[in-house]
Amino acid sequence: DVKVTQSSRYLVKRTGEKVFLECVQDMDHENMFWYRQDPGLGLRLIYFSYDVKMKEKGDIPEGYSVSREKKERFSLILESASTNQTSMYLCASYRQGAETQYFGPGTRLLVL
Amino acid sequence: GENVEQHPSTLSVQEGDSAVIKCTYSDSASNYFPWYKQELGKRPQLIIDIRSNVGEKKDQRIAVTLNKTAKHFSLHITETQPEDSAVYFCAASGQGGSEKLVFGKGTKLTVNP
């Protein structure tokens, strides 16, 4: 059974803080993704990574960066959090060739 | 790039009725179309998917149809039950081998007992 976990379910941060969101998968998947989910906007891709130390921008990368030092871990970084980054953040992973993405439980981030 | 439109945004049906959610996509090279169900407070879960070499796929009360010519695909749920109430997302894989999924904006389905 694929397990994708995220470091926090709920997070409250202040404007300007540096925020780290961690995602870990235990199935040796090559591909990992970060999405944000907002009401009425669906899931929008922020960044994805298809291998260790490899990353590509998604549709809304502004204000975010990522890190993939190990295959199982993909981190999303908000260098200087802003109120418009208040959202639900979902991590996903999948095995090359399988196509089905498995999602983590999500982190609901509130930036005050 | 790929663009996925999903309709309706909300859908309310009586228990036992059928529900249909429709999506259109823009990139004719897309070849993989999954549907995800997200219950309140939970992660999206894959419920059914279809690949471009198939026109229809069924799994118990859930079916998906794909019309590649028209670039649209639909989710059909028959004999709906209250536990089918959730937000449903369609998605399409982008071109260029990146295998990124582009999601529709979601449909909130409410099944009334």
Side-chain angles (χ1 to χ4, degrees):
Chain A
D1 210 20
V2 176
K3 284 209 170 46
V4 182
T5 58
Q6 293 181 230
S7 51
S8 306
R9 290 302 305 272
Y10 301 95
L11 212 49
V12 181
K13 295 292 181 181
R14 297 228 172 257
T15 302
E17 278 193 77
K18 190 168 185 175
V19 182
F20 292 87
L21 302 182
E22 301 280 333
C23 175
V24 177
Q25 49 90 7
D26 67 356
M27 289 301 292
D28 203 36
H29 288 176
E30 300 88 353
N31 302 280
M32 297 187 75
F33 302 79
W34 275 107
Y35 296 91
R36 64 177 282 177
Q37 183 177 18
D38 300 287
L41 296 179
L43 283 80
R44 293 180 293 165
L45 181 64
I46 305 171
Y47 266 98
F48 70 103
S49 169
Y50 50 89
D51 201 352
V52 175
K53 296 193 189 294
M54 307 300 283
K55 61 185 179 186
E56 279 196 34
K57 293 180 180 179
D59 299 317
I60 51 163
E62 296 78 20
Y64 303 94
S65 62
V66 290
S67 172
R68 184 124 181 245
E69 296 297 319
K70 293 185 178 181
K71 194 174 187 181
E72 67 270 19
R73 188 180 299 269
F74 191 34
S75 302
L76 180 70
I77 303 154
L78 287 66
E79 295 289 341
S80 177
S82 63
T83 54
N84 63 12
Q85 291 178 309
T86 290
S87 187
M88 168 69 86
Y89 290 88
L90 287 161
C91 173
S93 75
Y94 83 95
R95 181 175 57 81
Q96 195 69 27
E99 293 176 321
T100 302
Q101 291 192 17
Y102 295 90
F103 283 86
T107 296
R108 189 167 291 282
L109 173 66
L110 173 63
V111 182
L112 299 174
Chain B
E2 176 68 279
N3 183 49
V4 176
E5 300 278 344
Q6 182 172 347
H7 298 281
S9 56
T10 60
L11 180 59
S12 183
V13 300
Q14 288 300 123
E15 184 177 358
D17 287 351
S18 294
V20 180
I21 302 170
K22 298 181 179 181
C23 289
T24 60
Y25 61 99
S26 60
D27 187 349
S28 56
S30 290
N31 56 11
Y32 176 63
F33 308 91
W35 285 88
Y36 285 82
K37 175 184 180 182
Q38 186 177 28
E39 296 176 51
L40 191 63
K42 297 194 174 176
R43 72 190 75 192
Q45 300 261 24
L46 179 75
I47 54 171
I48 196 166
D49 57 11
I50 192 167
R51 288 169 174 79
S52 58
N53 57 348
V54 174
E56 184 174 356
K57 185 176 178 181
K58 205 170 182 180
D59 182 5
Q60 300 183 349
R61 296 185 298 107
I62 294 172
V64 58
T65 58
L66 171 65
N67 182 329
K68 284 216 74 180
T69 304
K71 289 190 280 189
H72 67 72
F73 57 112
S74 301
L75 178 71
H76 304 254
I77 307 174
T78 58
E79 299 170 28
T80 53
Q81 301 166 4
E83 50 266 38
D84 294 329
S85 296
V87 178
Y88 292 81
F89 293 98
C90 64
S93 65
Q95 71 173 132
S98 67
E99 296 167 293
K100 290 188 297 179
L101 285 178
V102 177
F103 286 84
K105 292 191 166 96
T107 297
K108 184 177 180 182
L109 173 65
T110 303
V111 180
N112 301 299

